[in-house]
Amino acid sequence: MSDRDIISINYFEDKERFADLLNGYLFEGRQIIQPDDFREADSGVLRIQKMPGGQDKNIQAMIRDVVKYLHLHMKVMLIVLQNQTNVHYAMPVRIMNEEATGYHRQWREIAAKHKRKKDLRSDEFLSGFSREDRLTAIVSLVLYFGEKPWDGPVTLREMLNLDGIPGELRELVADYPIHVLEVRRYRNIHYFHTDLQLVFGFLQNAENKENLREYVSQHRQEFENLPQDTYDMIEIMSDSGKLQTLKQKYQTHGGEINMCKAIDDMIEDGRKEGHKEGIQLAKRVFRLNAQNTSVDDIARQCDITVENVLEILDDSVA
C-alpha cells in the first residue's frame, strides 16, 4: 500500500469528514448524514473460487480504501470510498467485481446461517436464501485526485465492443455505472463544512502559485491552524516535497501546522528558482542571437526584468 493510500485512508477514517463528503456531494450540503450514523466495516474482501478437482482454490484479496456501514432511518447501506490519483481505465469492471464480491459474501453468510438452523425447504434450500432475505446495499464512490480530467469510462457499456450487434441484443446487455468525484474540478466545495473544503480548494489552485497564494490568504485563519492529517493530505495529493520539508519548521506545540507560512516559503523559493532559471536562459539567448534580439524581447521571453538583461550585457562586455 502506497503512502498516498495510507494518508488518504487515515484522513477519511474520520467520520465527520466522511459524512461531510457524502452530504456535500449527494445532498448539496444539507446535513442528512451524521457522523454517528456510521459503523466500522471490514475493508478487506476475499474471493475464493474452487478449482477443478476440488483440490486447490484460487484466492483473491481486495483491499478497499474506506468502508463503513451507514445506518440511516432504520436502513443500512455499505458505503465504499475508492481514492484514485490516476485514471483507471477499467474502473467499472473493478467496482462491479468488488461490489459483486460483497454481495456474494453476504449471500454465503446468510446461507450458512440457514444451514445451521435447518429452516429452509425446497427452492429456498437450494438457493440458501429465503423469499424474505435481503442483502445490504453497497454504494461505491471514486474520489479522483488526479491533475488531468478523468477520461476513463464511467459505465460498463463504454468498455464493451457492441459494434455490429443488433439493437435488440444490445438492450439485453446489462450496464454498470460508477460514480466519480473529480476533486480538482468539483465546483461546489462550499457545500463542505469541514477542512475537506480546504483540501479541495488547495488542490484546485495548486497549479497556479498566485491563485494558490490568494486562496490561502482568503482562508488564512484556517490554514494557520491546520490539523496534521489535513496538512499531510494536502502535501501528498499535491505531490509537494517542499511542503514535506517545511512541515516541522511550522508545526506548533499543539501539533497543528501553519500552512500560510509554509506556502509563503514554498512560493518564494519557487519564485527565486524561476528567476535564476530566467537569467540562465537569457544568457543563452544572448549568446546565440545577440545581434538580432532586443533587450525587451529577451526580458519578455525569459520572464525577467530589463535591468537583469542589462546586467547580463555588462557582464558579457566585461
Side-chain angles (χ1 to χ4, degrees):
M1 185 176 291
S2 69
D3 290 346
R4 284 184 171 180
D5 290 332
I6 293 171
I7 288 174
S8 61
I9 290 172
N10 178 66
Y11 181 78
F12 281 108
E13 278 296 340
D14 183 280
K15 293 180 180 180
E16 187 175 353
R17 292 182 183 129
F18 200 54
D20 193 35
L21 175 67
L22 297 181
N23 284 327
Y25 181 59
L26 300 175
F27 303 112
E28 298 181 339
R30 300 192 306 277
Q31 301 303 290
I32 304 299
I33 299 172
Q34 302 300 319
D36 290 341
D37 292 333
F38 292 113
R39 303 290 184 274
E40 296 303 320
D42 183 9
S43 61
V45 174
L46 286 179
R47 183 167 189 166
I48 303 176
Q49 295 176 315
K50 292 183 178 180
M51 304 302 287
Q55 299 298 320
D56 298 323
K57 295 179 176 64
N58 179 24
I59 302 177
Q60 299 175 329
M62 296 179 289
I63 304 297
R64 300 169 295 189
D65 289 347
V66 182
V67 184
K68 294 187 185 299
Y69 283 110
L70 174 62
H71 293 249
L72 196 61
H73 305 306
M74 303 302 292
K75 300 295 183 181
V76 180
M77 298 182 69
L78 191 65
I79 308 295
V80 180
L81 184 63
Q82 295 280 10
N83 295 316
Q84 287 290 126
T85 53
N86 298 100
V87 177
H88 194 308
Y89 290 100
M91 186 56 79
V93 170
R94 175 180 167 182
I95 295 293
M96 180 176 64
N97 183 43
E98 292 179 1
E99 292 186 352
T101 300
Y103 288 128
H104 183 269
R105 182 170 66 174
Q106 291 183 50
W107 166 45
R108 299 313 302 167
E109 289 174 350
I110 291 173
K113 291 179 181 178
H114 285 305
K115 186 175 182 179
R116 289 193 297 268
K117 293 180 179 180
K118 299 180 180 180
D119 59 351
L120 296 183
R121 298 290 183 273
S122 188
D123 292 343
E124 291 183 330
F125 176 79
L126 294 175
S127 305
F129 202 82
S130 73
R131 293 183 183 86
E132 290 75 26
D133 286 328
R134 294 294 180 269
L135 303 176
T136 298
I138 303 175
V139 176
S140 300
L141 174 61
V142 178
L143 199 57
Y144 173 59
F145 290 90
E147 295 179 18
K148 75 171 188 175
W150 179 277
D151 59 354
V154 293
T155 67
L156 177 63
R157 281 184 175 237
E158 292 178 60
M159 298 180 61
L160 302 180
N161 183 3
L162 298 175
D163 293 342
I165 296 178
E168 292 82 358
L169 279 177
R170 288 191 186 189
E171 292 300 317
L172 299 181
V173 178
D175 202 359
Y176 207 92
I178 63 173
H179 313 287
V180 180
L181 196 171
E182 295 192 57
V183 171
R184 296 177 189 253
R185 290 162 191 83
Y186 182 65
R187 294 307 173 196
N188 297 317
I189 62 175
H190 58 280
Y191 288 158
F192 300 132
H193 299 285
T194 66
D195 56 26
L196 189 61
Q197 182 179 138
L198 301 179
V199 173
F200 275 54
F202 186 100
L203 294 175
Q204 290 178 5
N205 291 279
E207 299 306 305
N208 186 305
K209 287 185 172 59
E210 291 307 315
N211 289 349
L212 180 59
R213 187 194 293 272
E214 181 179 352
Y215 179 78
V216 172
S217 178
Q218 290 173 352
H219 300 83
R220 177 164 293 275
Q221 184 175 356
E222 296 95 325
F223 278 109
E224 283 181 345
N225 301 280
L226 208 61
Q228 182 173 330
D229 58 349
T230 307
Y231 186 98
D232 290 341
M233 187 69 170
I234 289 175
E235 178 267 317
I236 200 75
M237 289 305 177
S238 62
D239 197 22
S240 174
K242 185 64 177 178
L243 287 179
Q244 178 62 34
T245 61
L246 293 170
K247 180 178 177 179
Q248 291 185 343
K249 181 179 180 181
Y250 293 115
Q251 191 163 21
T252 67
H253 293 296
E256 296 179 332
I257 301 169
N258 190 330
M259 177 165 265
C260 292
K261 292 183 178 180
I263 292 299
D264 287 342
D265 271 15
M266 184 183 74
I267 292 176
E268 181 61 21
D269 286 351
R271 188 192 66 78
K272 290 178 180 178
E273 186 63 29
H275 184 69
K276 291 178 182 178
E277 292 177 356
I279 290 178
Q280 293 302 319
L281 178 60
K283 290 180 178 179
R284 290 196 296 271
V285 171
F286 177 74
R287 284 197 300 269
L288 292 173
N289 198 13
Q291 302 299 320
N292 299 322
T293 306
S294 69
V295 170
D296 289 337
D297 286 340
I298 293 176
R300 184 169 54 256
Q301 292 175 27
C302 301
D303 195 25
I304 59 176
T305 66
V306 171
E307 288 75 12
N308 291 142
V309 178
L310 293 176
E311 290 176 5
I312 295 171
L313 292 174
D314 289 341
D315 292 341
S316 65
V317 171

